[in-house]
């Protein structure tokens, strides 16, 4: 599938909104992901307001692309949905990758901004949105029309990483 091979992290975006239909498709792609026991733990905050994007871009030192994105999704896990608690972050990762691939398909650019293991970032998002205890910040995805960067193939296949039948 060409989207898998061409997807890249896009961190600079045109000053141009992403159409509502495309935002809807991205969210649908996220929710189409597989999840442990089909627990579908995801929730999404969709942010387009420019001031809010600036505030969100301060979540981690590596989240600056959020500031010039057209729309950023904050991905959250809802522990009330957990049936396999140890699987929720893997579920969220599958949803995140689906969104990145759909963004590539829609000729958008996107970048995954992680904070699952950074307590400071989790606290920042929790306080910003006054999240209840059961809502767990996972990551953000900044999205927009690429400005100067493009989704293009880079070969990462390493034959030595493949082990047939035995280690
Ligand atoms: C779990 C995770 C966390 C990431 N966090 C950040 C981040 O905080 N800031 C950023 O600019 N890119 C982030 N990235 C994007 C990676 O830097 C990027 O995927 C990697 O360098 C490979 O480049 P590519 O996506 O263009 O193929 C993250 C990716 C993953 C999967």
């Amino acid at each position: 599938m060409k989207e898998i091979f061409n997807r890249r992290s896009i961190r600079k975006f045109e000053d141009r909104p992403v159409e509502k239909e495309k935002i809807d498709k991205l969210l649908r792609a996220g929710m189409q992901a597989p999840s442990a026991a089909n627990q579908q733990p995801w929730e999404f905050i969709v942010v387009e307001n420019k001031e809010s994007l600036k505030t969100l871009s301060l979540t981690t030192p590596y989240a600056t692309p959020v500031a010039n994105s057209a729309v950023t999704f904050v991905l959250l896990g809802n522990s009330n949905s957990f049936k396999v608690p140890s699987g929720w972050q893997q579920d969220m990762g599958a949803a995140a990758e689906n969104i990145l691939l759909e963004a590539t398909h829609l000729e958008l650019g996107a970048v995954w901004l992680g904070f699952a293991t950074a307590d400071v970032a989790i606290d920042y998002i929790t306080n910003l949105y006054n999240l209840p205890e059961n809502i767990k910040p996972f990551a953000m995805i900044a999205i927009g029309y690429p400005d100067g960067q493009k989704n293009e193939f880079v070969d990462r296949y390493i034959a030595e990483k493949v082990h047939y039948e035995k280690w």
Side-chain angles (χ1 to χ4, degrees):
M1 193 211 290
K2 69 180 188 317
E3 287 81 357
I4 290 178
F5 292 100
N6 292 340
R7 182 217 55 80
R8 300 299 306 280
S9 292
I10 304 294
R11 299 182 175 86
K12 282 191 71 188
F13 306 100
E14 287 179 8
D15 185 14
R16 168 183 167 194
V18 171
E19 296 82 349
K20 291 277 169 259
E21 298 72 25
K22 290 195 176 183
I23 292 175
D24 182 66
K25 281 190 173 151
L26 292 165
L27 293 165
R28 286 174 184 277
M31 292 192 214
Q32 210 60 36
S35 59
N38 197 23
Q39 60 187 344
Q40 301 174 46
W42 34 72
E43 309 269 349
F44 304 89
I45 301 175
V46 179
V47 183
E48 294 179 281
N49 177 279
K50 292 287 176 210
E51 282 307 309
S52 304
L53 290 170
K54 270 189 211 152
T55 306
L56 269 184
S57 75
L58 303 174
T59 304
T60 79
Y62 314 105
T64 51
V66 171
N68 77 100
S69 68
V71 56
T72 287
F73 296 169
V74 184
L75 280 62
L76 310 152
N78 185 342
S79 67
N80 291 346
S81 312
F82 294 176
K83 298 180 201 163
V84 185
S86 62
W88 81 272
Q89 290 180 322
Q90 296 169 65
D91 303 337
M92 298 301 299
E97 180 68 4
N98 270 12
I99 292 168
L100 297 180
L101 294 176
E102 182 68 13
T104 308
H105 181 66
L106 296 172
E107 299 187 333
L108 297 165
V111 58
W112 176 332
L113 305 153
F115 42 76
T117 56
D119 288 345
V120 179
I122 291 168
D123 290 348
Y124 185 85
I125 295 290
T126 301
N127 292 332
L128 187 61
Y129 290 105
N130 199 18
L131 299 175
E133 176 68 27
N134 59 303
I135 300 297
K136 316 282 184 200
F138 174 73
M140 297 186 286
I141 300 182
I143 304 159
Y145 284 93
D147 182 6
Q149 298 177 297
K150 58 180 184 189
N151 286 304
E152 62 185 351
F153 177 65
V154 51
D155 192 358
R156 295 194 176 126
Y157 185 79
I158 300 171
E160 291 73 21
K161 288 183 182 280
V162 184
H163 310 275
Y164 290 99
E165 310 289 353
K166 59 185 172 60
W167 179 248

